[in-house]
Amino acid sequence: MEQSVKSRRSADLKTPTGLGAEATKDISGGANALLADVFALYLKTKNFHWHMSGVHFRDFHLMLDDHGDELLAMTDPLAERVRKIGGNTLRSIGDISRKRRIEDNDADFVHPHEMLAELREDNAALIASMRELHDVCDEHNDVGTASLLENWIDESEKRAWFLFEILRDTNK
């Protein structure tokens, strides 16, 4: 019985998909890194939402809440897409921490404009990562994942644009 349990742990998922093993490996790897980044950016966005202060508190607080909702909404479809194509997805906070490329900000105080500038840069990095994954999807003719990414790129560009416009005259 012990051998049977161990063999199931490493068994291929054999999920029916039109993508080959290399496509599943390449796309799942990129999607899991992206998913880790989305979780990291979600938590950073909520951190800054919770710790916002200053004269524009209400506007920034509400905007970051909306941004967090958009990011969180990406997580389940992205993880499920990895499973649909036969891959395994993230399993824990530790897994997210090992795969993420978006850095944490644990500072006790961050000026509101610095918060927004950091989120602008992180959203730009997320967009770049999504475009890279889109290229991988194109190589493997994975239109399903590419289609999801196209919508998320647009949403992320909107977040980056809003943050850019708010900071336009602040030298941040």
Coordinates of all heavy atoms in Angstrom, one line a residue, residues 8-9 16 23 25 29-30 38 40-41 45-46 51 69 77 92 98 103 107 111-112 126 132 140-141 162 165:
R8 N 1.4 7.4 -6.7 CA 0.3 8.3 -7.1 C 0.8 9.7 -6.9 O 0.4 10.6 -7.7 CB -0.9 8.1 -6.3 CG -1.7 6.9 -6.8 CD -3.0 6.9 -6.1 NE -2.8 6.8 -4.7 CZ -3.5 6.0 -3.8 NH1 -4.5 5.3 -4.3 NH2 -3.2 6.0 -2.6
R9 N 1.7 10.0 -6.0 CA 2.2 11.3 -5.7 C 3.0 11.9 -6.9 O 2.9 13.1 -7.2 CB 3.1 11.4 -4.5 CG 2.4 11.3 -3.2 CD 3.3 11.4 -2.1 NE 2.7 11.1 -0.8 CZ 3.4 10.8 0.2 NH1 4.7 10.8 0.2 NH2 2.7 10.4 1.3
P16 N -6.7 15.5 -20.1 CA -6.9 15.6 -21.5 C -6.7 17.1 -22.0 O -7.4 18.0 -21.5 CB -8.3 15.1 -21.7 CG -9.0 15.2 -20.4 CD -7.9 15.2 -19.4
A23 N 4.7 21.9 -23.7 CA 3.8 23.1 -23.6 C 3.3 23.2 -22.1 O 3.3 24.3 -21.5 CB 2.7 23.0 -24.6
K25 N 4.6 22.0 -19.4 CA 5.7 22.4 -18.5 C 6.0 23.9 -18.7 O 6.1 24.6 -17.6 CB 6.9 21.5 -18.9 CG 8.1 21.8 -18.0 CD 9.3 21.0 -18.5 CE 10.6 21.5 -18.0 NZ 11.2 22.5 -18.9
G29 N 4.9 26.5 -15.7 CA 5.9 27.2 -15.0 C 5.8 28.7 -15.0 O 5.9 29.3 -14.0
G30 N 5.5 29.2 -16.2 CA 5.3 30.7 -16.3 C 4.1 31.1 -15.6 O 4.1 32.2 -14.9
V38 N 1.1 37.7 -8.7 CA -0.2 38.3 -8.5 C -0.6 38.2 -7.0 O -1.1 39.2 -6.4 CB -1.3 37.6 -9.3 CG1 -2.7 38.0 -8.9 CG2 -1.0 37.8 -10.8
A40 N 1.5 38.2 -4.5 CA 2.4 39.1 -3.8 C 2.0 40.5 -4.0 O 2.0 41.3 -3.1 CB 3.9 38.9 -4.3
L41 N 1.6 40.9 -5.3 CA 1.1 42.2 -5.5 C -0.2 42.5 -4.9 O -0.5 43.6 -4.4 CB 1.1 42.5 -7.1 CG 0.7 43.9 -7.5 CD1 1.6 44.9 -6.9 CD2 0.7 44.0 -9.0
T45 N -0.7 45.5 -2.3 CA -1.7 46.5 -2.6 C -2.6 46.6 -1.4 O -3.0 47.7 -1.0 CB -2.5 46.1 -3.8 OG1 -1.6 46.0 -4.9 CG2 -3.6 47.1 -4.1
K46 N -3.0 45.5 -0.8 CA -3.8 45.5 0.5 C -3.1 46.2 1.6 O -3.6 46.9 2.4 CB -4.4 44.1 0.8 CG -5.3 43.6 -0.2 CD -6.6 44.5 -0.4 CE -7.5 44.4 0.7 NZ -8.8 45.1 0.4
H51 N -2.7 50.8 5.1 CA -1.8 51.8 5.8 C -1.7 53.1 5.1 O -0.8 54.0 5.4 CB -0.4 51.2 5.9 CG -0.3 50.0 6.8 ND1 -0.4 48.7 6.4 CD2 -0.3 50.0 8.2 CE1 -0.4 47.9 7.4 NE2 -0.3 48.6 8.5
D69 N -9.1 44.0 -5.5 CA -10.1 43.1 -6.0 C -9.8 42.6 -7.4 O -10.0 41.4 -7.7 CB -11.5 43.9 -6.0 CG -12.0 44.1 -4.7 OD1 -11.5 43.6 -3.7 OD2 -13.0 45.0 -4.6
P77 N -8.9 31.8 -11.8 CA -8.8 31.4 -13.2 C -7.4 31.1 -13.6 O -7.3 30.1 -14.5 CB -9.3 32.7 -13.9 CG -10.1 33.4 -13.0 CD -9.5 33.2 -11.6
S92 N 1.1 26.7 -1.4 CA 1.3 27.2 -0.1 C 1.8 28.7 -0.2 O 2.3 29.1 -1.2 CB 2.2 26.4 0.8 OG 3.5 26.4 0.2
R98 N 8.7 31.4 -2.8 CA 9.8 30.9 -3.6 C 9.7 31.3 -5.0 O 10.7 31.4 -5.7 CB 9.9 29.3 -3.5 CG 10.4 28.8 -2.1 CD 10.6 27.3 -2.1 NE 9.3 26.6 -2.2 CZ 8.5 26.3 -1.2 NH1 8.8 26.7 0.0 NH2 7.4 25.6 -1.4
E103 N 8.7 42.1 -5.0 CA 9.2 42.2 -3.6 C 8.2 42.7 -2.6 O 7.4 43.5 -2.9 CB 10.5 43.1 -3.6 CG 11.6 42.5 -4.4 CD 12.2 41.2 -3.9 OE1 12.3 41.0 -2.6 OE2 12.5 40.3 -4.7
A107 N 8.0 47.9 5.5 CA 8.3 49.2 6.2 C 7.2 49.6 7.1 O 6.0 49.4 6.8 CB 8.7 50.3 5.2
H111 N 5.5 56.7 2.6 CA 4.7 57.9 2.1 C 3.7 57.5 1.1 O 4.0 56.6 0.2 CB 5.7 59.0 1.6 CG 5.0 60.3 1.3 ND1 4.3 60.5 0.1 CD2 4.9 61.4 2.0 CE1 3.8 61.7 0.1 NE2 4.2 62.3 1.2
P112 N 2.5 58.0 1.1 CA 1.5 57.6 0.1 C 2.0 57.7 -1.4 O 1.7 56.8 -2.1 CB 0.4 58.6 0.3 CG 0.5 59.0 1.7 CD 2.0 59.0 2.0
L126 N 4.5 43.2 -13.6 CA 3.5 42.2 -13.9 C 3.1 42.2 -15.3 O 2.9 41.1 -15.9 CB 2.3 42.5 -12.9 CG 1.3 41.3 -12.8 CD1 1.8 40.2 -12.1 CD2 0.0 41.8 -12.2
E132 N 5.5 38.2 -21.5 CA 6.4 37.1 -21.7 C 5.7 35.7 -21.8 O 6.0 34.9 -22.6 CB 7.5 37.0 -20.6 CG 8.5 38.1 -20.7 CD 9.5 38.2 -19.6 OE1 9.6 37.1 -18.8 OE2 10.1 39.2 -19.3
H140 N 3.3 27.8 -28.3 CA 2.6 26.5 -28.1 C 1.2 26.4 -28.6 O 0.5 25.5 -28.4 CB 2.7 26.0 -26.7 CG 4.1 25.7 -26.2 ND1 4.9 24.7 -26.7 CD2 4.9 26.4 -25.3 CE1 6.1 24.7 -26.1 NE2 6.1 25.7 -25.2
N141 N 0.7 27.5 -29.2 CA -0.6 27.7 -29.7 C -1.7 27.4 -28.6 O -2.7 26.8 -28.8 CB -0.9 26.7 -30.9 CG -2.1 27.1 -31.7 OD1 -2.5 28.2 -31.7 ND2 -2.8 26.1 -32.2
F162 N -3.5 54.7 -14.1 CA -4.1 55.5 -13.0 C -2.9 55.9 -12.0 O -2.9 57.1 -11.6 CB -5.1 54.7 -12.2 CG -6.5 54.8 -12.8 CD1 -6.7 54.6 -14.1 CD2 -7.6 55.1 -12.0 CE1 -8.0 54.6 -14.6 CE2 -8.9 55.1 -12.5 CZ -9.1 54.9 -13.8
E165 N -0.8 58.6 -13.6 CA -1.4 59.9 -13.7 C -1.5 60.6 -12.3 O -1.3 61.8 -12.2 CB -2.8 59.8 -14.3 CG -2.8 59.5 -15.8 CD -2.2 60.6 -16.7 OE1 -2.0 61.7 -16.2 OE2 -1.8 60.2 -17.8

